[in-house]
């Protein structure tokens, strides 16, 4: 942001210098007399001093919240930071929080939706790339919402924005999925996120957020015109199919880039993509044309462009012909609200150590399928009412995949909960192969691995300057064969910090192989049920590793750590060397 700071005291100057070093951005210091001249050029003003001076300075300059800059005021003692003007739209509320954090002050924000933890309806669309289409004044809509009048939420696409709405839905908001559901309750407001047009009952306020989700391909006759008439006709065809024109991104063949219709659409701010005839000819379309192929080198322009732009998505509208144009529409499948599987890393065991995102996924899930033999059930207690929670401990792979697919096919949100981080000995590869085979949507939320929990619980830094700079994550060879090049005694040659998973039952072989390379007095730790309520950690020397494990009846849920990094306090990092930090500051 381009920010100007206005101060009136020496104390204010000191605060300003702190801000210039901490909050970033293009910051300059100006006098109070400069504010009028720069009011429309700067994105934000920070007054440091009395609120009265701030208000009297900006009062004659205030115009509209959609164009006014953000204005905040810091009292001369630096105790309070107050959002004064353009809280949401201009970003003053967010700047207030950042400045308060930078100087250790109290943020003062009076916007009702912020104080109640409600969505900022006037800016949330911009945050997620949606266009806002209200059926009434935005102030009336916001007032209705912040007064907690019954509100319907109708979501027809899925992106990070709709995920956010679902995760943070206030109690007065009810999710609906059809006009019938919308008419069954006495809603005062309906918030829609969809590329499709929908009617709401008479008298109901509506805020329609329109994502740019629809790919529209157009074909044009040479010098098709009149230009405005062609554009109006194209938009009328799109609207007749229930598609919001605000949702459209356009595409055509590159040889039409100089057509008046294309130039006008671009001038109007429409997003346009151009493809070559070669690219378009590779797309299989519903209605190819030999005539089109003869003239431009591809059997389709409008349908092929729509499908190519939507990454091979689903047709919403096959080719429609006008007198001098064709138009077709498709949507990328990523936007469709269908089933989804989130593979979530549960962390090492303590429910507090699942990630914030992982917790949100669990709270949203219609089905939680968790590895019951390794993941504490306490992690699933945050499930929403009506969710299905199943342990997979007594299920084979086919049964697990079948259960997830049955929920997926109903459009459900599924969490597959694995211990630690699912990518480390997580057995997710076979599941992902199944998802890929059936074209299912899935994503991985990483988790805290037990080797990180081991470092934390041992109070040890696993990379020590001049001693070891490598961590090896591996397992001993039990029922699962190890590649010859990854035998423990070969990995041990580096004498790195080694974290050995799933190997307590073969500890004799593990100890024997490690002793081929590590000294027998190398520190070891056997860590059982890390972060669980019954966690137990046993330290010792490598020569006693097998005895430690056996004497305490440790099981497969034991992490074995080997290396000089355990409890090492003798080596220090150059990070804190004064000469090193000086060079770092200078960019050397």
């Amino acid at each position: 942001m381009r920010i100007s700071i206005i101060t009136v005291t020496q104390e204010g100057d000191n605060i300003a210098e702190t801000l210039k070093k901490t909050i970033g951005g293009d910051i300059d210091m100006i006098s109070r007399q400069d504010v009028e001249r720069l009011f429309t050029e700067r994105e934000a003003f920070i007054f440091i001093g009395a609120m009265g001076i701030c208000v009297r300075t900006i009062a004659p300059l205030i115009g509209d919240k959609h164009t006014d800059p953000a204005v905040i005021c810091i009292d001369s003692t630096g105790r309070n930071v107050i959002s004064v003007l353009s809280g949401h739209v201009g970003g003053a509320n967010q700047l207030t929080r950042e400045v308060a954090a930078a100087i250790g002050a109290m943020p003062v924000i009076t916007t009702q939706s912020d104080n109640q933890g409600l969505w900022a309806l006037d800016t949330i669309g911009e945050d997620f790339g949606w266009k806002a289409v209200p059926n009434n004044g935005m102030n009336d809509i916001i007032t209705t919402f912040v007064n907690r009048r019954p509100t319907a939420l109708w979501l027809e696409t899925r992106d990070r924005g709709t995920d956010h709405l679902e995760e943070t839905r206030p109690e007065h908001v009810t999710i609906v999925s059809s006009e019938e559901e919308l008419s069954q309750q006495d809603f005062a407001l309906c918030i829609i996120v969809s590329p499709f047009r929908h009617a709401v009952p008479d008298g109901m306020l509506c805020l329609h957020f329109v994502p740019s989700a629809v790919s529209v391909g157009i074909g044009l006759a040479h010098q098709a015109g009149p230009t405005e008439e062609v554009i109006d006709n194209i938009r009328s065809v799109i609207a007749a199919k229930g598609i919001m024109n605000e949702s459209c991104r356009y595409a055509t063949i590159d040889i039409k880039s100089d057509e008046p219709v294309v130039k006008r659409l671009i001038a109007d701010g429409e997003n346009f993509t151009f493809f070559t005839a070669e690219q378009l000819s590779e797309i299989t379309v519903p209605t190819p044309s030999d005539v089109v192929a003869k003239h431009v080198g591809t059997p389709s322009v409008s349908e092929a462009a729509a499908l190519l732009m939507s990454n091979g998505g689903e047709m919403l509208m096959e080719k429609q012909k006008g007198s001098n144009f064709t138009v077709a529409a498709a949507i990328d499948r990523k936007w469709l609200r269908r089933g989804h599987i989130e593979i979530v890393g549960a962390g090492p065991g303590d429910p507090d150590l699942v990630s914030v995102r992982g917790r949100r996924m669990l709270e949203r899930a219609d089905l939680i399928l968790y590895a019951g033999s390794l993941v504490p059930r306490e992690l699933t207690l945050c499930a929403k009412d009506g969710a299905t929670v199943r342990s997979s401990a007594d299920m084979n792979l086919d049964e697990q995949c079948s259960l997830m697919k049955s929920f997926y096919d109903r459009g459900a949100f599924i969490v597959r909960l694995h211990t630690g981080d699912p990518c480390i000995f997580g057995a997710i590869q076979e599941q992902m192969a199944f998802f890929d085979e059936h074209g299912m949507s899935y994503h991985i939320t990483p988790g805290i691995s037990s080797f990180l929990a081991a470092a934390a619980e041992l109070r040890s830094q696993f990379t020590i300057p001049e001693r070891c700079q490598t961590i090896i994550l591996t397992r001993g060879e039990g029922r699962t064969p190890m590649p010859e090049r990854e035998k423990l005694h070969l990995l041990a040659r580096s004498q790195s910090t080694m974290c050995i998973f799933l190997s307590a039952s073969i500890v004799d072989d593990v100890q024997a192989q490690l002793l081929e390379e590590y000294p027998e007095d190398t520190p070891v730790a056997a860590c059982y049920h890390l972060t669980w309520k019954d966690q137990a950690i046993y330290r010792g020397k490598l020569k006693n590793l097998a005895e430690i494990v056996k004497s305490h009846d440790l099981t497969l849920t034991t992490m074995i750590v080997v290396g000089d990094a355990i409890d090492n306090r003798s080596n220090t990092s150059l990070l804190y060397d004064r000469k090193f930090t000086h060079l770092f500051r200078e960019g050397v």
Side-chain angles (χ1 to χ4, degrees), residues 340-386:
H340 177 77
I341 299 166
E342 192 73 17
I343 302 170
V344 174
D350 186 334
D352 289 341
L353 291 178
V354 70
S355 69
V356 173
R357 176 182 171 85
R359 173 76 179 218
R360 288 176 178 169
M361 298 296 101
L362 289 165
E363 291 171 346
R364 279 184 55 198
D366 301 300
L367 167 66
I368 299 174
L369 183 62
Y370 71 103
S373 59
L374 298 170
V375 175
R377 181 173 173 77
E378 286 81 359
L379 273 155
T380 70
L381 297 182
C382 62
K384 67 182 182 182
D385 291 342

Side-chain angles (χ1 to χ4, degrees), residues 335-486:
W335 290 100
L336 301 177
R337 290 192 68 80
R338 293 181 176 169
H340 177 77
I341 299 166
E342 192 73 17
I343 302 170
V344 174
D350 186 334
D352 289 341
L353 291 178
V354 70
S355 69
V356 173
R357 176 182 171 85
R359 173 76 179 218
R360 288 176 178 169
M361 298 296 101
L362 289 165
E363 291 171 346
R364 279 184 55 198
D366 301 300
L367 167 66
I368 299 174
L369 183 62
Y370 71 103
S373 59
L374 298 170
V375 175
R377 181 173 173 77
E378 286 81 359
L379 273 155
T380 70
L381 297 182
C382 62
K384 67 182 182 182
D385 291 342
T388 299
V389 180
R390 283 284 306 276
S391 168
S392 61
D394 60 348
M395 303 170 68
N396 60 36
L397 178 62
D398 289 342
E399 291 170 333
Q400 295 171 29
C401 291
S402 177
L403 177 63
M404 287 189 283
K405 190 170 189 306
S406 68
F407 274 78
Y408 183 96
D409 290 344
R410 302 200 299 266
F413 185 86
I414 301 150
V415 167
R416 180 66 173 111
L417 189 62
H418 279 270
T419 185
D421 181 278
C423 299
I424 302 176
F425 301 113
I428 63 172
Q429 182 173 336
E430 300 91 335
Q431 296 170 70
M432 292 190 295
F434 178 87
F435 303 153
D436 289 340
E437 179 185 352
H438 291 85
M440 300 166 72
S441 168
Y442 66 93
H443 180 262
I444 300 171
T445 294
I448 297 174
S449 174
S450 57
F451 88 89
L452 297 169
E457 295 302 318
L458 288 168
R459 298 182 184 178
S460 297
Q461 178 178 312
F462 280 179
T463 54
I464 302 296
E466 300 182 18
R467 295 293 293 272
C468 62
Q469 293 289 282
T470 301
I471 303 170
I472 295 175
L473 310 180
T474 189
R475 62 179 296 171
E477 185 170 33
R479 290 182 300 175
T480 303
M482 294 290 288
E484 187 63 34
R485 63 185 179 277
E486 295 181 17

Side-chain angles (χ1 to χ4, degrees), residues 187-504:
F187 293 113
L189 168 66
C190 179
I191 299 171
I192 302 175
V193 183
S194 173
F196 307 115
R197 191 177 308 279
H198 291 291
V200 300
D202 291 341
M204 183 183 296
L205 295 173
C206 179
L207 177 55
H208 193 143
F209 289 116
V210 186
S212 298
V214 177
S215 300
V216 174
I218 60 174
L220 293 166
H222 181 59
Q223 295 295 305
T227 300
E228 294 296 340
E229 181 178 317
V230 174
I231 291 174
D232 287 344
N233 289 339
I234 288 173
R235 287 175 170 162
S236 294
V237 171
I238 293 169
K241 295 295 182 179
I243 300 170
M244 299 282 285
N245 276 287
E246 292 86 353
S247 73
C248 297
R249 303 175 303 149
Y250 292 87
T252 190
I253 191 167
D254 56 0
I255 61 174
K256 297 294 182 179
S257 61
D258 288 330
E259 288 289 335
V261 167
V262 173
K263 287 185 173 180
R264 175 56 59 84
L265 285 169
I266 293 174
D268 289 344
E270 299 292 358
N271 183 305
F272 233 103
T273 300
F274 299 100
F275 298 111
T276 65
E278 183 180 6
Q279 290 174 305
L280 296 174
S281 64
E282 295 178 355
I283 305 300
T284 301
V285 299
T287 57
S289 168
D290 293 335
V291 174
V292 174
K294 179 180 178 180
H295 284 88
V296 297
T298 172
S300 172
V301 173
S302 59
E303 289 180 337
L307 286 169
L308 189 56
M309 193 179 189
S310 65
N311 298 308
E314 292 190 5
M315 293 297 301
L316 297 176
M317 178 177 69
E318 293 186 2
K319 180 171 64 178
Q320 306 291 306
K321 293 183 179 181
S323 60
N324 47 14
F325 69 88
T326 61
V327 59
I331 187 168
D332 193 320
R333 290 183 176 86
K334 73 179 183 180
W335 290 100
L336 301 177
R337 290 192 68 80
R338 293 181 176 169
H340 177 77
I341 299 166
E342 192 73 17
I343 302 170
V344 174
D350 186 334
D352 289 341
L353 291 178
V354 70
S355 69
V356 173
R357 176 182 171 85
R359 173 76 179 218
R360 288 176 178 169
M361 298 296 101
L362 289 165
E363 291 171 346
R364 279 184 55 198
D366 301 300
L367 167 66
I368 299 174
L369 183 62
Y370 71 103
S373 59
L374 298 170
V375 175
R377 181 173 173 77
E378 286 81 359
L379 273 155
T380 70
L381 297 182
C382 62
K384 67 182 182 182
D385 291 342
T388 299
V389 180
R390 283 284 306 276
S391 168
S392 61
D394 60 348
M395 303 170 68
N396 60 36
L397 178 62
D398 289 342
E399 291 170 333
Q400 295 171 29
C401 291
S402 177
L403 177 63
M404 287 189 283
K405 190 170 189 306
S406 68
F407 274 78
Y408 183 96
D409 290 344
R410 302 200 299 266
F413 185 86
I414 301 150
V415 167
R416 180 66 173 111
L417 189 62
H418 279 270
T419 185
D421 181 278
C423 299
I424 302 176
F425 301 113
I428 63 172
Q429 182 173 336
E430 300 91 335
Q431 296 170 70
M432 292 190 295
F434 178 87
F435 303 153
D436 289 340
E437 179 185 352
H438 291 85
M440 300 166 72
S441 168
Y442 66 93
H443 180 262
I444 300 171
T445 294
I448 297 174
S449 174
S450 57
F451 88 89
L452 297 169
E457 295 302 318
L458 288 168
R459 298 182 184 178
S460 297
Q461 178 178 312
F462 280 179
T463 54
I464 302 296
E466 300 182 18
R467 295 293 293 272
C468 62
Q469 293 289 282
T470 301
I471 303 170
I472 295 175
L473 310 180
T474 189
R475 62 179 296 171
E477 185 170 33
R479 290 182 300 175
T480 303
M482 294 290 288
E484 187 63 34
R485 63 185 179 277
E486 295 181 17
K487 300 290 187 180
L488 276 180
H489 69 275
L490 298 177
L491 298 177
R493 288 178 179 175
S494 67
Q495 295 189 24
S496 305
T497 302
M498 188 177 292
C499 300
I500 305 172
F501 293 71
L502 306 169
S503 301

